[in-house]
Amino acid sequence: MLAVEDTHAALELSSGWFLDNAWLIALIPAIGFALIIGLGKKMPMKGSEIGLASMAASLVIATGAGIQWMQRTDSASHGGDEAIGGAFSGVRGVLRASEGGEVEPYIEPVVTQWVWWQNSGLEFGLGSHIDGLSVLLLWLVAFISLLVQVFSLDYVRGDRRYTHFFAALTLFSSGMLVMVMSSNMVQLILGWEIMGLCSFMLIGHWWEDAYNSHSALKAFFTVRVGDVGLLVGTAILFFGANDFAVANLDSNGFDIRAIQAWALSGDGSSWTLIMASSALFIAAIGKSGQFPLHTWLPDAMAGPTPVSSLLHSSTMVVAGVFLVARIYPVFWEGFNIANGGLSFIAIIGGITIVVAALLAFVQDDIKKVLAYSTVSQLGYMMLGLGTGAWLPAVFHVFTHAFFKCCLFLAAGSISHSGSHHSFDMKKDMGGLRKFMPITFGAWCVSTLALTGVIPFAGFWSKDEIIDNVGANGYTFLFWVGLGGAALTAMYMTRATYLTFFGEPRGAAAGIHHDDDHGYATEFREEIVHADAIDRELVTAGAAPKSLSAAAAHTDDHGDDGHGDDGHDDHDDHGPHESGKLILVPIVILAFLALTSGFVNPTPLAGDALGANLGEGVELLKKYVEPRYEPVAIGETAGHAGESVQLLEVTPLPAAEEGADGKDAYATGCGRTDPEPGTVCYFPKVKHAVPELSKILLSLGVVALGYAAAIGFCIAFYKNKNPRLVGLTERSRIARGGYLFLKNKYYLDVLYQNVFVYFVSRPLAKATYWFNQNVIDGAVNGVGTSGKKAGDWVYNNIDQKIVDGVVNASGTVASETGHGLQPVQSGKVNQYGALLFGAATVGAIVLVILNVS
């Protein structure tokens, strides 16, 4: 790093074509969607080639943007001397002194924006806001979407709505890309809602099945409940930040950078920030499936497996996490995270980790196990964000995308080639490792990554969250994170054993069932309420005796168009390994599940693991985490809407130390008092120093979870230990606990029988009565009164007065005419006599007047 000598130096930072035109990353798939809809059915590959080409083009541009962003950051770190290319147009950055006397660069994002529409002088822009966070997510979404589309070529071949599937899948990715690159909240809402619409279409892809349409509606309405919070929170932010944005940044209250600066400026009231952050986090709860609005996520498994994979890895459910990470200063100040407050985000994240992990234990559907796993891992991300661990949370978004996408695609491979399109682990799987070795290997690698085993990806990201939670003073939540890690190892061991070990069962053994499309049965079960226990825990493999068990053991809905909808059956010859189009994406993702954690291996940067490679190995910390340095408010200029500022450099005062030994940061920039004439776009977060003891503790907890789960699986499923088999019949506590989990904490019953019932029955009836008797009564009363008033006016005013006056004047005129009629005789002598008579009268009048 360079020491600061000239405190008024400025630095030219390079951008480049890819950064300036990053908006193409989202536009190309949107155009691809339109082309698939218009021309897809006439294309040789029914439109799938357009989807693949559009996502490949987006990935190329996203990769170029990522490379240029790293060059941009490096040029700032080296004083601009190593800016590659040299001819890039640029923006102005700044080097600011840190407490240690070194300098840290503030990296200006590349903003390209056009006026979308105007209203009363307020401009709404549409374009791209490119910084480290958006570059990371843009590349991740484009990469995962491309692999999922390649997987889908074989997986949904012959589907009844093949073209529409690729169209919706492409638009789904475009919506996420639009949201990620948003420079203002209006564009963010646009991308947010595009994803909501596409998820509705894709989850209900086979809408003929009642369960599928029910699940799509459930997802749509549940997420819409949270979306109310997004609209309310955005409105609060606009009215709170608009004056500050107009006065200081020549912007408006919808601009994300203005919102970030306003939140950290001290200009907003605490209540405004609390209300805005609470409303916005409710939106994140709905979108990211956090407790208690997580119930839609497992039902979203009704959609095709590629949809489940994309939705649960890098789109849709990550949107809520991204929202919190993008406008993090609002939550930092609103929930008092800076001073160690127990934030709403951390509480919900901690609850979600445990609640979802426990539900995964009682699932027989392999995709639902992974769905609850996703909910739990999203809880880790929220836990990190809620406790100041911004970078570890974003890091976990990155690694989680690879191993969770791999797990879902592996589940699809199993269904496609090993279990005759069934996802039921107990009924139609077992012993598949011998038939599907590549799928089994990829599943194991991703499982190890998910559970946080070193050196797999999840170890570096999830353990970093747990470590930072503990280091920031949240001791209880630290143990919650460790407990969640043990639970993850246990339910994934159960899923792995049921799928790949033991003896083949059902379809895996070559026995095909005359299925009733299991999810439809489960849908009927939900309607009539489950009232019987799953006898599988009682009889250890006997046929289910209850409606609940029958539903759980039926086949999937011919997943992804198989069987009766025209798809060729690829597994008529028994379980076997899938084809290359399915395996290639799985193998690539498994490789990344093993290696992606090394982009930010914090323990290797210090002495925790004895490597001491230095901070240079922490690539995400260098290229993705925003700088917290204050930036001088200046005039903006640039090209193509790019934001350019001339920024001055002044050393920051040293942080004060509180009585508890922690740094006292009253504001997000690490200053006790805001520095006049400057703004901050990101708070000063802390990074935990890894300790070998905590690393060993985490690995030990995971190892204990594996050991306990392996012992249970062998005792229960293989040896049928009599102390475990039938436990739920012998023990009322065990039975009650199992039913409590099997019925998903009765939240669906609560929502259906209380909220939905209340809305559809009593509230609807009360509203109808109010409408008929109050609103319509008032309207009808006004109408009746108006009619009576009109009749009275007509009868009395119009008929008697107005018409009377008119008629009377007519009568007078008529009678006067009749009286003068004799004068008009036509006789000249009479006219002459009248004329001379009148002249005589006039003369007499004149004489009288003159005499007087």
Side-chain angles (χ1 to χ4, degrees):
M1 304 295 286
L2 299 175
V4 175
E5 295 181 357
D6 181 3
T7 59
H8 296 283
L11 174 66
E12 278 293 322
L13 301 181
S14 62
S15 56
W17 186 90
F18 289 104
L19 289 175
D20 290 336
N21 296 279
W23 47 271
L24 291 171
I25 300 172
L27 180 62
I28 291 174
I31 296 174
F33 160 75
L35 293 176
I36 295 172
I37 290 295
L39 305 174
K41 292 186 177 180
K42 301 177 182 179
M43 302 292 289
M45 297 174 62
K46 303 301 180 182
S48 60
E49 64 268 50
I50 299 176
L52 286 169
S54 63
M55 294 316 307
S58 293
L59 179 60
V60 170
I61 300 174
T63 303
I67 293 172
Q68 290 185 345
W69 178 259
M70 289 188 288
Q71 294 172 353
R72 179 181 177 87
T73 304
D74 288 337
S75 66
S77 300
H78 295 86
D81 295 333
E82 298 182 8
I84 299 175
F88 297 115
S89 59
V91 298
R92 299 188 184 276
V94 67
L95 295 179
R96 291 194 59 84
S98 67
E99 291 88 348
E102 296 181 336
V103 292
E104 297 226 355
Y106 170 78
I107 313 299
E108 185 83 7
V110 180
V111 180
T112 305
Q113 186 167 273
W114 296 269
V115 176
W116 181 15
W117 54 286
Q118 299 183 34
N119 184 21
S120 302
L122 184 65
E123 294 184 350
F124 297 87
L126 190 66
S128 61
H129 171 281
I130 305 302
D131 61 0
L133 177 63
S134 55
V135 162
L136 179 72
L137 267 296
L138 287 172
W139 183 87
L140 186 66
V141 172
F143 179 77
I144 295 295
S145 298
L146 178 61
L147 291 184
V148 168
Q149 292 213 14
V150 172
F151 179 91
S152 302
L153 289 175
D154 190 14
Y155 195 73
V156 298
R157 184 188 303 135
D159 184 86
R160 68 188 77 165
R161 283 182 283 272
Y162 185 86
T163 299
H164 290 88
F165 173 81
F166 275 91
L169 204 64
T170 304
L171 183 61
F172 192 34
S173 299
S174 177
M176 183 67 182
L177 294 169
V178 167
M179 191 198 74
V180 166
M181 66 172 58
S182 299
S183 62
N184 59 77
M185 293 299 295
V186 176
Q187 183 178 337
L188 187 146
I189 293 173
L190 173 65
W192 184 282
E193 296 302 335
I194 289 175
M195 282 190 293
L197 173 62
C198 291
S199 66
F200 171 74
M201 294 189 296
L202 290 168
I203 294 171
H205 182 67
W206 297 293
W207 48 265
E208 294 88 349
D209 192 324
Y211 177 77
N212 298 341
S213 59
H214 168 75
S215 298
L217 288 170
K218 182 177 181 180
F220 187 79
F221 289 130
T222 304
V223 175
R224 294 288 80 73
V225 170
D227 288 358
V228 174
L230 179 62
L231 299 177
V232 172
T234 300
I236 295 173
L237 288 180
F238 172 77
F239 289 108
N242 192 59
D243 291 342
F244 175 87
V246 172
N248 295 285
L249 301 173
D250 192 24
S251 182
N252 61 62
F254 289 119
D255 185 78
I256 289 177
R257 295 193 73 214
I259 292 170
Q260 293 171 333
W262 165 78
L264 296 174
S265 68
D267 191 65
S269 69
S270 58
W271 274 109
T272 301
L273 288 164
I274 290 172
M275 296 303 295
S277 53
S278 298
L280 291 169
F281 186 62
I282 290 173
I285 288 175
K287 205 73 164 183
S288 290
Q290 297 294 282
F291 179 87
L293 298 181
H294 65 280
T295 55
W296 70 270
L297 253 178
D299 291 290
M301 298 302 97
T305 297
V307 175
S308 305
S309 178
L310 186 60
L311 187 149
H312 281 253
S313 61
S314 59
T315 60
M316 188 70 173
V317 298
V318 181
V321 177
F322 174 81
L323 174 65
V324 178
R326 170 54 77 199
I327 54 174
Y328 194 57
V330 175
F331 300 96
W332 176 269
E333 295 292 332
F335 291 139
N336 197 29
I337 299 173
N339 295 322
L342 186 59
S343 68
F344 184 30
I345 303 175
I347 295 172
I348 294 298
I351 294 173
T352 303
I353 290 172
V354 178
V355 163
L358 291 175
L359 289 175
F361 280 99
V362 296
Q363 305 303 315
D364 296 337
D365 185 294
I366 191 172
K367 286 208 300 182
K368 288 194 174 183
V369 172
L370 299 178
Y372 282 115
S373 173
T374 299
V375 174
S376 184
Q377 297 306 304
L378 291 167
Y380 276 102
M381 300 172 199
M382 290 300 187
L383 177 63
L385 292 171
T387 56
W390 186 92
L391 181 61
V394 172
F395 186 21
H396 199 50
V397 172
F398 179 73
T399 60
H400 176 265
F402 300 123
F403 57 71
K404 187 52 62 68
C405 185
C406 183
L407 287 169
F408 269 107
L409 295 188
S413 175
I414 294 166
S415 168
H416 184 269
S417 304
S419 61
H420 194 63
H421 320 306
S422 170
F423 290 94
D424 195 300
M425 298 181 296
K426 288 186 177 180
K427 176 184 176 183
D428 291 309
M429 297 183 190
L432 290 177
R433 72 185 187 281
K434 297 177 291 185
F435 305 102
M436 311 181 73
I438 299 177
T439 300
F440 171 64
W443 173 278
C444 289
V445 169
S446 297
T447 297
L448 292 171
L450 170 62
T451 55
V453 175
I454 192 171
F456 298 90
F459 165 77
W460 307 104
S461 58
K462 185 166 70 175
D463 279 33
E464 189 174 348
I465 291 176
I466 298 172
D467 192 18
N468 277 267
V469 169
N472 289 340
Y474 301 90
T475 304
F476 177 75
L477 293 177
F478 169 79
W479 289 105
V480 169
L482 286 177
L487 293 175
T488 304
M490 293 168 71
Y491 68 68
M492 287 305 297
T493 299
R494 172 182 176 268
T496 303
Y497 185 91
L498 288 174
T499 304
F500 294 103
F501 292 88
E503 294 299 321
R505 300 176 298 277
I511 303 173
H512 295 173
H513 307 275
D514 184 14
D515 296 309
D516 183 27
H517 296 339
Y519 285 121
T521 306
E522 184 176 346
F523 171 64
R524 291 194 297 271
E525 173 199 2
E526 290 183 0
I527 298 300
V528 302
H529 306 304
D531 56 357
I533 189 171
D534 184 350
R535 302 297 180 181
E536 194 71 0
L537 282 177
V538 179
T539 61
K545 300 179 181 179
S546 67
L547 178 60
S548 175
H553 285 36
T554 50
D555 191 7
D556 185 22
H557 39 75
D559 179 59
D560 317 322
H562 299 344
D564 57 7
D565 59 6
H567 192 292
D568 294 333
D569 285 312
H570 298 295
D571 58 352
D572 291 338
H573 303 291
H576 61 278
E577 192 59 272
S578 298
K580 292 181 180 179
L581 287 175
I582 288 178
L583 289 181
V584 168
I586 291 176
V587 171
I588 293 173
L589 289 166
F591 174 77
L592 291 171
L594 171 62
T595 61
S596 61
F598 289 99
V599 301
N600 204 77
T602 301
L604 293 179
D607 296 324
L609 294 179
N612 197 16
L613 299 178
E615 294 183 359
V617 299
E618 297 178 280
L619 300 181
L620 292 190
K621 184 177 181 181
K622 179 179 181 181
Y623 295 115
V624 174
E625 185 178 63
R627 306 298 194 265
Y628 63 84
E629 283 73 15
V631 179
I633 299 173
E635 296 296 329
T636 59
H639 61 88
E642 186 179 1
S643 175
V644 181
Q645 291 183 321
L646 180 61
L647 309 173
E648 297 184 350
V649 182
T650 54
L652 285 171
E656 297 181 358
E657 188 170 292
D660 57 356
K662 298 180 180 179
D663 292 336
Y665 295 114
T667 65
C669 290
R671 297 164 293 155
T672 302
D673 296 308
E675 189 175 340
T678 64
V679 294
C680 296
Y681 296 109
F682 194 74
K684 181 176 178 60
V685 297
K686 302 177 185 178
H687 301 92
V689 178
E691 299 176 6
L692 181 60
S693 59
K694 290 185 178 180
I695 294 174
L696 294 177
L697 173 63
S698 178
L699 294 174
V701 167
V702 173
L704 288 175
Y706 270 120
I710 292 172
F712 176 83
C713 289
I714 294 175
F716 185 84
Y717 295 111
K718 182 178 181 180
N719 299 332
K720 296 181 175 57
N721 191 312
R723 289 177 296 179
L724 296 176
V725 175
L727 178 62
T728 52
E729 280 198 340
R730 298 192 303 270
S731 171
R732 181 176 297 180
I733 295 177
R735 177 186 177 89
Y738 174 77
L739 285 176
F740 186 62
L741 293 177
K742 191 66 178 178
N743 288 283
K744 298 173 284 189
Y745 308 113
Y746 295 97
L747 287 175
D748 281 332
V749 176
L750 173 65
Y751 296 155
Q752 184 71 30
N753 292 357
V754 178
F755 297 116
V756 175
Y757 180 86
F758 175 72
V759 171
S760 63
R761 300 293 178 83
L763 182 61
K765 289 181 179 179
T767 303
Y768 179 78
W769 181 92
F770 183 81
N771 177 68
Q772 293 294 312
N773 295 277
V774 178
I775 298 178
D776 285 357
V779 173
N780 293 337
V782 171
T784 302
S785 300
K787 181 178 182 301
K788 291 181 179 180
D791 290 340
W792 185 88
V793 169
Y794 174 79
N795 293 326
N796 295 278
I797 304 299
D798 181 69
Q799 294 294 310
K800 295 180 179 180
I801 298 178
V802 178
D803 286 359
V805 170
V806 173
N807 293 336
S809 62
T811 300
V812 170
S814 176
E815 294 302 322
T816 302
H818 286 301
L820 294 175
Q821 185 175 6
V823 178
Q824 304 296 324
S825 63
K827 296 179 180 179
V828 178
N829 57 343
Q830 288 184 352
Y831 294 159
L834 291 173
L835 178 62
F836 284 108
T840 302
V841 172
I844 294 172
V845 170
L846 289 174
V847 171
I848 294 173
L849 293 174
N850 289 330
V851 172
S852 62

